[in-house]
Structure formats: C-alpha cells, structure tokens
Amino acid sequence: MLFVPPSGGGMESSMSDKKRQAVSAAGFLAVFGVLLALATRFDLDVSHMLADRNLVASRYFSTSILCNLVEIAGMAPIWVAATFAASVLTVYFHCKKGGLRHLRGFFFVLTVAVSALLLRDMLKYSLMIGGREELLNAPWMIAVLLAFGLTVSSLILKLAGERIRQNMGLLLPFALAIVCACCCHLWIEVIKNPMGRMRFRAMHLIDDYSWFTPWYRPGSARQLLAGQGLPGDYFKSFPSGHTYAASMSYLLILFPDLFRNWKTGRRKVLSYVIPVAYTGFVAFFRIAAGAHFFSDVLVGGTMGFVAVQVFRYIFLYRLRARIEKCGMKAAA
C-alpha cells in the first residue's frame, strides 16, 4: 500500500478541476432531482409492483428469502467500516506518548463494541423475522456478542496492527472520514421519528393503504393508530437506514486517492461500480420487502454518498494538503 500525494499542476489545473467538479455536482443534482420527482409521483405504485408478491396476510416480514437476507446482512458495510476505523484509531493512540496514549483503551473498547454490533445487528433481524427477538437480550446472547467483538478486535490488531502503524499517515485520514460518515447515520434516526412515515408492509398488514403519505409530509398514522398497539417500527419508513448503511460501500471511492494500485482506470471505475451496484441491490430489495418506498431508499442512499464525498474532501484533500504545507514549512 503506497500513499498517493495530491496532484499539482498550477492555477490552470486548479481551474479545470473546479470546473469539472461544478459540472459533476450539477449533473448529480439534476439526476437526483429527476429521480426524486419520479419517486414522489410513483412511490406507492412501485411498492405495489415489487412488494405485493412477497407479502402475505397476517405477516409483517417478507416471505422472500433474498429480501430477508438483505434485511439481515445489508447493513454490514457500516459496521465493517466502523470496526476498521476504530482499529486504526486504537493503533494511532497506542503509538502516542503521554496522556493521549490512554485513549487507546477507549478506542479498543469501541472496536470491540462496534464489531459486536455487527453480529448483533444481523442476529436482531434474524430473530425478528423468526419471531424470537426476546433472545437478543438473553445473558448468554450478550456474552456471545462480547466474545465475538473481543475476538475480532484482537485478531485485527494482532494480524494487521503493525501494518496499520507503518501506514498511519495514509490510514488516519481515511479512518477519520469513515468515523464521520458513519456517525451521520444518526441523522437517519433523527429524521425517522418525527416524519413517522408508515411502512408499506405495515399498511399491507392492516390492509389499509390510505395511511400512505408522501416523503415530504410528516405522517399522522402513529398518533391516530396508537390505540391499536402497533410497534414503533411500523412508522420508520423515511429515510432508509439500511440503504444509508449500504452506501458506506462508497468509501471504496476513496481508494484511488489513497493507494497507487487503485489509480488505474479499471480500478477507478470499479471503485464506483461496486458501491453503486451494492447500494442499488440493497435499495431494490428493501422496496421488494415492503420495508421502504422508492423515495426512502433514494434519500437514504444519497445521504450516505454525500457524506462520503464531504468527508473525502475534508480529510483526504483539505487536511492532507494542510499537513503537507506544514511539513514543507518545517523543512524550510
């Protein structure tokens, strides 16, 4: 793994880059606007077309094995990325001197917790689909999760700790970008509760689609149906947390900025094609499961993509340039 320095080229190159970025941003906004307009108009129709065949009366979750597998494992990218970032920060603070070195313990515990949450997230959906979610809080289950997290964290540090230390200048900005992009997932939960949009499969379960609301209008179904004792999960459709989590696969876009062997045209293309395909795959099956509408997955996935690009700019461009500038001044 070799560091790729930012390219120079003077004022003309800088102007060309800014123009290209402006055109790309305008194109992205145009495509997003068109897709969001289509989603706004056809949300319910798309869900009927994709999800009706996978839902049956008296059952909340899909009958499709593939839909359920995506529900169980679709969020893996955000947990894997967060585990890696926490491991990098553990090694970083382990190499520091003084009081900062004590932070290695905090980030090691964080690595254990996040890797345990990876397994917990998959088990949670597995148990919910199987109707055994009460097992998730059993003492033996908690012990299994902690053992898993401790094992994974220890193996990462043992097998890759020295490699991480040797490439810290490369990996630290990447880890910081990961942490910030993953933390933005919290905005999904901040938005979900006040919006209160009812899931398609919840409307299918009660056989009443009159509770459908467009993505931009807060839903009132939770308050009006409170007497029926429906679970809170029924009213968390917008935006899609699974699709945001899947969109953390867009972190692959950062690879050409970091690794020389990803600077080739083929790998640059793959760094976009793989996350687009994976995020689109998860988004499609979230609609097919009746868990989300088209607009839910569109907004969730776009939020993740934008978060990755923003923190790519902050940590891999601005921060790196500032560090290099300070280094050149010190050398002078």
Side-chain angles (χ1 to χ4, degrees):
M1 290 190 292
L2 295 174
F3 175 71
V4 179
S7 58
M11 186 178 297
E12 185 177 342
S13 176
S14 178
M15 292 291 288
S16 176
D17 287 344
K18 288 181 179 179
K19 184 177 180 180
R20 185 167 59 249
Q21 289 167 5
V23 171
S24 298
F28 169 76
L29 290 173
V31 171
F32 174 72
V34 169
L35 290 175
L36 187 59
L38 290 172
T40 304
R41 171 62 182 85
F42 297 109
D43 254 351
L44 192 57
D45 298 315
V46 171
S47 288
H48 275 300
M49 181 175 64
L50 296 180
D52 275 347
R53 58 188 173 183
N54 299 318
L55 298 170
V56 295
S58 75
R59 178 180 168 87
Y60 179 58
F61 290 99
S62 172
T63 58
S64 164
I65 294 175
L66 196 49
C67 286
N68 290 335
L69 286 175
V70 169
E71 185 132 21
I72 292 166
M75 291 184 68
I78 196 169
W79 299 116
V80 172
T83 300
F84 171 76
S87 299
V88 171
L89 292 170
T90 301
V91 176
Y92 173 75
F93 284 106
H94 178 73
C95 297
K96 302 297 283 185
K97 295 180 180 179
L100 287 176
R101 199 165 192 261
H102 295 300
L103 288 174
R104 63 179 177 170
F106 168 79
F107 283 103
F108 178 72
V109 171
L110 183 63
T111 308
V112 173
V114 175
S115 51
L117 285 171
L118 165 65
L119 180 60
R120 185 185 188 279
D121 190 70
M122 291 191 289
L123 288 175
K124 178 182 77 172
Y125 289 106
S126 300
L127 293 171
M128 287 172 65
I129 291 169
R132 299 295 306 277
E133 56 191 296
E134 72 280 357
L135 294 177
L136 200 61
N137 296 318
W140 64 267
M141 180 67 76
I142 296 172
V144 167
L145 295 174
L146 289 175
F148 176 82
L150 187 60
T151 301
V152 169
S153 304
S154 301
L155 284 174
I156 291 173
L157 295 175
K158 183 175 179 61
L159 299 177
E162 182 60 24
R163 192 77 175 270
I164 291 172
R165 187 190 65 78
Q166 293 171 357
N167 294 276
M168 187 57 68
L170 170 72
L171 296 177
L172 183 60
F174 186 36
L176 293 173
I178 291 173
V179 169
C180 292
C182 290
C183 284
C184 285
H185 185 268
L186 296 173
W187 282 106
I188 298 290
E189 296 303 320
V190 170
I191 297 170
K192 273 180 182 287
N193 287 319
M195 290 304 293
R197 191 182 199 188
M198 196 170 187
R199 297 186 191 270
F200 179 84
R201 62 189 181 192
M203 291 185 281
H204 180 277
L205 185 66
I206 66 173
D207 196 24
D208 188 353
Y209 296 100
S210 66
W211 296 107
F212 171 79
T213 54
W215 63 269
Y216 54 82
R217 185 187 305 159
S220 57
R222 184 184 319 187
Q223 293 77 24
L224 296 175
L225 295 173
Q228 296 189 24
L230 300 178
D233 185 67
Y234 284 23
F235 310 99
K236 292 186 176 183
S237 188
F238 179 84
S240 169
H242 266 75
T243 313
Y244 185 99
S247 73
M248 288 301 98
S249 59
Y250 281 112
L251 289 162
L252 282 174
I253 294 171
L254 279 61
F255 278 27
D257 300 321
L258 295 167
F259 309 121
R260 290 193 185 279
N261 59 356
W262 276 82
K263 292 288 282 184
T264 64
R266 181 182 178 184
R267 292 196 176 186
K268 278 187 175 181
V269 171
L270 284 175
S271 71
Y272 276 88
V273 170
I274 292 172
V276 167
Y278 181 78
T279 306
F281 177 83
V282 171
F284 176 87
F285 282 101
R286 293 307 282 155
I287 301 172
H292 293 288
F293 296 99
F294 182 15
S295 57
D296 300 336
V297 300
L298 176 64
V299 172
T302 302
M303 287 174 65
F305 175 77
V306 171
V308 168
Q309 292 287 23
V310 167
F311 295 115
R312 175 194 191 191
Y313 175 75
I314 291 173
F315 292 108
L316 270 69
Y317 295 166
R318 298 291 293 179
L319 179 62
R320 180 193 294 175
R322 184 173 297 180
I323 291 172
E324 289 195 344
K325 186 175 181 181
C326 292
M328 287 188 289
K329 284 183 178 179

